Amino acid sequence: MKNVNFGIIGCGAIAEKHGQALLQLDNANLVAASDVDISKAERFACKYLNKTASKKVYDDYKEMLRDSSIDAVIVATPSGMHTQMALDALGAGKHVLVEKPLTLNRKDAEALVSKAEIVNRCLGTVHPNRYYETSQILKSCISQGRFGKLSHGVVTLRWNRSQAYYDEAPWRKTRNMDGGILFNQAWHALDLLLWFMGSLVRRTHGISATRFHDIETEDVVLGTMELEDGSLGLIEATTNVYPKNLEQTVSIFGDKGTAVLGGSRIDSFRTWRVEGDDEGAFLAKWGENAPRHEPSWAHKQVISEFLSNISHDVVVPDVVLSAVKVISCISEMLDLD
């Protein structure tokens, strides 16, 4: 396929992973950067923009979208900005890769899907945890029936976020920009749970509270899910754990297997009790000794698949439809729609 020229909107912390990933891809060129803080865009450009191209830096992303040499755009801004920026980029004829979460409500997610289909441009989103070998192993074994009939799955996210964390970037305190703990901190774990279990969510129920922080959103959520195949899901997510992060796990329970994924990136097994397998030997390879990749590795896999989708004229890939399902689940659980 021909090289794809990228522009990026938003040059903050998460953009660094995209910049590092794009430098490693032969068929992608990052040629433009936009941020309302032009100095931030300029610093980003010096580190990551293609060295053979003239550096194009903007403080207005709409001006960047008028550049006909740009084929695709990455949206890496605060969550509440994703929808309008992605719609504008699609409207400008660009393929669009949106950082997580795709949007903060079901209506906006459906609008993005519809717009991509109308303009026939690829829409992508960033679910990097799916690419780790451990995630692939668990998904494959469940799909092959090695876990048998599933009983339930559990997401546990017990993290610490100080008030200073929210104060240093005030958008994190708001519902319309951050979305809350399920859209922000617990997004990837919840996506993995629903992806592993493979069934649609029939109904949900949740309770939430704001106990320790001066924010608009909740800092603790307890939720349940009933899936269409009869299995159940459970989520506990909080940023109230003292004095530092405690755990992040995704657990799957079937009549022939039990598995628990953990670690800061949910990329190593803590438990593997599957019929016919030696748990000790398995954990020796895929437990604490599981392969560790540098931070941008998974983003490289995300962008590589996005490029493949572009080349194969895939407009709305499965990962985007999965994101819509996660958004619908969260919205129902917290009664946001």
Side-chain angles (χ1 to χ4, degrees):
M1 65 177 291
K2 74 177 186 69
N3 282 6
V4 175
N5 288 334
F6 280 82
I8 190 165
I9 307 173
C11 298
I14 197 64
E16 295 283 324
K17 291 185 179 181
H18 289 281
Q20 293 161 11
L22 285 164
L23 286 178
Q24 302 172 56
L25 292 168
D26 294 332
N27 55 340
N29 300 314
L30 185 57
V31 300
S34 173
D35 196 286
V36 291
D37 182 345
I38 194 68
S39 63
K40 188 181 292 185
E42 289 170 345
R43 290 193 297 272
F44 184 87
C46 288
K47 292 173 67 174
Y48 299 116
L49 261 61
N50 188 285
K51 304 306 182 200
T52 63
S54 59
K55 291 182 174 62
K56 301 175 182 179
V57 178
Y58 305 87
D59 59 5
D60 182 351
Y61 76 92
K62 291 183 179 179
E63 184 180 353
M64 186 181 77
L65 294 180
R66 288 192 283 269
D67 186 342
S68 60
S69 70
I70 295 173
D71 305 303
V73 169
I74 296 169
V75 178
T77 53
S79 304
M81 298 179 177
H82 290 180
T83 301
Q84 190 58 56
M85 290 177 167
L87 286 171
D88 289 341
L90 288 167
K94 315 299 184 186
H95 305 288
V96 183
L97 178 64
V98 184
E99 253 298 339
K100 70 88 180 170
L102 180 67
T103 67
L104 294 179
N105 63 69
R106 182 167 31 204
K107 180 180 177 181
D108 285 349
E110 291 170 349
L112 283 184
V113 169
S114 177
K115 184 68 172 182
E117 291 172 339
I118 290 169
V119 301
N120 196 34
R121 289 295 182 271
C122 182
L123 176 65
T125 193
V126 181
H127 290 184
N129 297 64
R130 294 182 176 203
Y131 295 90
Y132 292 116
E133 290 96 329
T134 45
S135 296
Q136 294 289 322
I137 289 169
L138 183 50
K139 175 63 175 175
S140 177
C141 286
I142 294 170
S143 298
Q144 292 168 12
R146 296 200 60 214
F147 276 67
K149 183 178 182 179
L150 296 185
S151 165
H152 65 292
V154 181
V155 165
T156 305
L157 183 115
R158 296 168 174 167
W159 278 2
N160 171 277
R161 290 293 183 268
S162 67
Q163 185 63 43
Y165 163 83
Y166 294 101
D167 291 342
E168 70 182 3
W171 65 268
R172 294 172 179 161
K173 297 191 282 188
T174 67
R175 176 70 68 187
N176 66 345
M177 281 291 117
D178 178 271
I181 191 171
L182 297 186
F183 282 108
N184 191 328
Q185 288 83 9
W187 175 269
H188 292 310
L190 181 54
D191 170 63
L192 284 181
L193 178 69
L194 296 180
W195 184 55
F196 290 149
M197 297 191 74
S199 182
L200 295 176
V201 176
R202 177 181 294 156
R203 62 180 177 176
T204 71
H205 176 72
I207 56 174
S208 64
T210 307
R211 298 292 295 162
F212 296 167
H213 300 95
D214 179 19
I215 56 177
E216 293 179 2
T217 59
E218 58 287 326
D219 56 18
V220 56
V221 175
L222 304 177
T224 59
M225 296 167 280
E226 179 187 354
L227 280 65
E228 289 190 350
D229 66 358
S231 62
L232 303 179
L234 178 68
I235 182 166
E236 173 197 346
T238 184
T239 55
N240 293 340
V241 174
Y242 176 86
K244 60 183 180 179
N245 290 358
L246 179 61
E247 67 173 302
Q248 177 181 210
T249 57
V250 177
S251 306
I252 300 292
F253 302 94
D255 63 358
K256 293 182 180 180
T258 296
V260 180
L261 268 176
S264 61
R265 300 182 195 169
I266 336 178
D267 60 356
S268 59
F269 283 103
R270 294 184 174 182
T271 302
W272 183 265
R273 299 171 185 171
V274 178
E275 188 177 81
D277 285 0
D278 181 327
E279 182 178 22
F282 184 90
L283 293 181
K285 181 175 182 180
W286 298 110
E288 293 303 317
N289 295 320
R292 292 294 186 271
H293 300 285
E294 48 84 27
S296 66
W297 178 86
H299 274 68
K300 179 183 175 183
Q301 314 312 309
V302 169
I303 297 172
S304 293
E305 186 166 304
F306 180 62
L307 290 167
S308 176
N309 287 335
I310 291 173
S311 69
H312 290 94
D313 298 319
V314 177
V315 173
V316 182
D318 287 343
V319 68
V320 170
L321 299 178
S322 293
V324 176
K325 293 172 186 175
V326 177
I327 292 164
S328 297
C329 178
I330 295 172
S331 297
E332 182 179 338
M333 187 175 293
L334 299 181
D335 195 22
L336 297 178
D337 286 343

